[in-house]
Amino acid sequence: MKVRILSAIVLIAIFVLVFLIGKEAFALFMGLLAILGLHEFIRIRESKKTFPFMMKVFAYLAVLFFTLFNFNSTYFVYNVDYKVMSFIIFAFLLPIVFINDNKKYNINDALMLVGSTLFIGMSFNLLIIVRNFDLMYIIYLFLISTITDTFALFSGRLIGRHKLAKDISPNKTVEGFIGGVLFGVVVAATFYHQVINPQVSLVLLVLITLILSVVGQIGDLVFSSIKRYYGKKDFSNLIPEHGGVLDRLDSLIFVVLAFILFQNII
């Protein structure tokens, strides 16, 4: 537990530092995390079947492109040219024919690379755009994810009795879920109301923050289901007692994807 707490403190310090240094530093950091996240997706997939080397190289380049595309933008629109999208799809699917060996590279491999590249690239690009729009907004989302996860863990250990999704994540409990949401909503909504917009409707703010907190925990379960499918405890061992990038940012990814649905409301 001490190692876990120390690692968490170091992680928070790094994120706070990157938040404050500036937009460019934050964008580069998100680009690095996106590459590491894709590497973890590929690594866990390769526990069952390896990808051709060049396809992995192209995937890393593609996810970096998607993450840093128009990184100075402050508009919540992902406007990659369809020409680029077509090129990416062709680049992953056409090699199926040229490699001509389903054991080395097949349609499942191609679609996995297309999906994971777009999913990770767009998610981290959106984090960059939110940071560009307003630093306080990214802190708000970070608080939802971090406080919810932290108090879900503590609540589950203290009073957890009923399993939430035992076949996906055996340690998660209904009590932990509720405790995480309650604390996440109180802390994040208070921050938003006091720092970002004191004029916002409290009912609306609490409702949206509640939805984002719940979606974040569902995102955690989605990533847990991926690990369960591949028989892995963590995506990697990059962070002591925490796992990898995707283990730590799974809920934040879903929170920011859900936030884009509500950003014009609050």
Side-chain angles (χ1 to χ4, degrees):
M1 178 60 75
K2 290 182 180 179
V3 174
R4 185 181 182 87
I5 294 174
L6 180 59
S7 295
I9 293 173
V10 172
L11 285 174
I12 293 173
I14 291 173
F15 268 90
V16 170
L17 180 63
V18 174
F19 285 163
L20 298 177
I21 287 178
K23 297 179 180 179
E24 292 77 10
F26 184 79
L28 290 175
F29 187 56
M30 290 301 103
L32 173 62
L33 293 182
I35 290 176
L36 291 174
L38 180 63
H39 174 69
E40 290 174 357
F41 258 144
I42 291 175
R43 176 179 173 271
I44 202 170
R45 167 69 172 173
E46 288 193 320
S47 64
K48 291 193 173 183
K49 180 182 179 297
T50 58
F51 292 109
F53 175 75
M54 288 308 300
M55 300 311 300
K56 290 189 287 186
V57 171
F58 184 76
Y60 292 131
L61 293 175
V63 81
L64 186 62
F65 170 81
F66 283 128
T67 301
L68 297 180
F69 181 82
N70 205 16
F71 68 91
N72 284 318
S73 174
T74 59
Y75 296 99
F76 293 101
V77 178
Y78 197 86
N79 55 354
V80 176
D81 194 304
Y82 276 113
K83 295 176 183 176
V84 176
M85 299 294 291
S86 296
F87 175 76
I88 295 295
I89 292 172
F90 280 136
F92 281 119
L93 266 66
L94 294 185
I96 294 173
V97 175
F98 295 104
I99 293 175
N100 192 28
D101 186 344
N102 282 333
K103 292 183 178 180
K104 290 184 178 180
Y105 190 69
N106 54 51
I107 186 62
N108 291 329
D109 301 327
L111 292 179
M112 185 272 178
L113 288 176
V114 170
S116 56
T117 298
L118 290 176
F119 172 52
I120 294 177
M122 292 174 65
S123 299
F124 282 94
N125 180 265
L126 188 53
L127 285 168
I128 293 172
I129 291 174
V130 173
R131 165 64 179 82
N132 289 347
F133 182 76
D134 193 322
L135 173 62
M136 295 301 110
Y137 274 89
I138 198 67
I139 294 176
Y140 166 67
L141 299 183
F142 186 74
L143 283 174
I144 293 175
S145 172
T146 303
I147 299 299
T148 299
D149 286 351
T150 300
F151 282 93
L153 174 64
F154 289 150
S155 300
R157 290 189 174 183
L158 289 174
I159 60 174
R161 296 293 183 271
H162 302 88
K163 298 297 183 183
L164 179 64
K166 64 179 181 179
D167 292 334
I168 295 176
S169 185
N171 293 326
K172 287 184 169 54
T173 64
V174 174
E175 292 84 359
F177 183 91
I178 295 173
V181 169
L182 288 176
F183 280 96
V185 170
V186 169
V187 173
T190 300
F191 173 83
Y192 190 100
H193 184 264
Q194 295 298 314
V195 178
I196 298 177
N197 183 8
Q199 307 304 319
V200 68
S201 165
L202 282 176
V203 174
L204 182 62
L205 174 61
V206 169
L207 177 61
I208 291 176
T209 307
L210 173 67
I211 293 172
L212 296 180
S213 179
V214 170
V215 169
Q217 292 209 59
I218 293 174
D220 191 321
L221 289 172
V222 169
F223 278 88
S224 292
S225 70
I226 296 173
K227 291 182 287 187
R228 177 69 60 178
Y229 176 78
Y230 287 103
K232 299 293 184 180
K233 181 179 181 295
D234 297 313
F235 279 99
S236 76
N237 58 359
L238 178 65
I239 309 166
E241 296 294 326
H242 285 270
V245 169
L246 297 180
D247 294 292
R248 286 302 87 213
L249 299 184
D250 48 9
S251 60
L252 179 61
I253 287 172
F254 272 72
V255 167
V256 74
L257 288 173
F259 174 71
I260 194 66
L261 303 174
F262 301 106
Q263 60 87 20
N264 285 326
I265 302 177
I266 60 173

